[in-house]
Amino acid sequence: DLALSVAQGGSEGAVVTLAAAPEACKTLFCICGVELYKQLAQSLGPAVLTTGIFLPIEEDFLRGSSIPPLEHVAQMYLEMVLKHQPIGPFYLSGVSFGGMVAYEMARQLRLRGQVVASLGIFDTALPQMITLPRRMRAHLALSFRR
């Protein structure tokens, strides 16, 4: 049961298996919102070990608490991934905010000389769909958080 797996992760977080696969296959790490990836895991089937990374900080996000800088959040998820798989190649994916975190994780991994073989980012807005004032507000909000 998914909820039980997350609960067993305790205060440190959890790497939750969403779809089991043979031991020698690739592992896809899905970032933020483990439940969001269940259908993806089912679609990929046994060719990929699909896992979800859960950290207790996700509960803070949902409660509306302030979010630490993206680099810090990505580092927290990256630490969990590296405990599970110390060397690449890495396969990462994220939905919405999880996509931004996965992108930053990939950047940090590459700075460490690691290989990121795949980065999937879902549910993002095209830049042309976001008006200039909205983009400016978003960038200013991010700038002031640091």
Side-chain angles (χ1 to χ4, degrees):
D1 178 68
L2 190 56
L4 180 60
S5 296
V6 168
Q8 288 174 342
S11 62
E12 189 175 298
V15 177
V16 179
T17 299
L18 298 169
E23 201 171 304
C25 75
K26 301 169 186 167
T27 300
L28 174 65
F29 293 98
C30 301
I31 310 303
C32 288
V34 173
E35 285 282 335
L36 299 172
Y37 302 101
K38 284 173 42 176
Q39 272 191 319
L40 174 65
Q42 291 168 351
S43 298
L44 292 174
V48 177
L49 172 60
T50 306
T51 62
I53 305 297
F54 170 79
L55 293 180
I57 195 169
E58 291 180 34
E59 294 170 1
D60 296 338
F61 300 159
L62 294 173
R63 281 194 286 264
S65 299
S66 64
I67 299 171
L70 183 62
E71 297 84 359
H72 180 70
V73 173
Q75 179 61 38
M76 291 187 295
Y77 280 92
L78 190 52
E79 287 172 12
M80 184 66 71
V81 166
L82 291 172
K83 283 180 186 176
H84 189 75
Q85 179 184 320
I87 58 170
F90 292 94
Y91 300 84
L92 306 171
S93 68
V95 173
S96 197
F97 179 69
M100 293 190 300
V101 174
Y103 180 87
E104 176 59 22
M105 290 170 66
R107 189 188 74 76
Q108 290 180 23
L109 282 165
R110 287 187 174 137
L111 286 174
R112 295 176 179 201
Q114 292 283 351
V115 174
V116 178
S118 177
L119 173 63
I121 301 174
F122 309 102
D123 189 27
T124 59
L126 296 171
Q128 63 266 32
M129 300 296 289
I130 303 172
T131 63
L132 182 59
R134 278 184 71 192
R135 278 192 295 187
M136 290 174 64
R137 280 194 304 272
H139 288 294
L140 283 172
L142 286 173
S143 296
F144 286 116
R145 270 198 247 169
R146 295 177 187 196

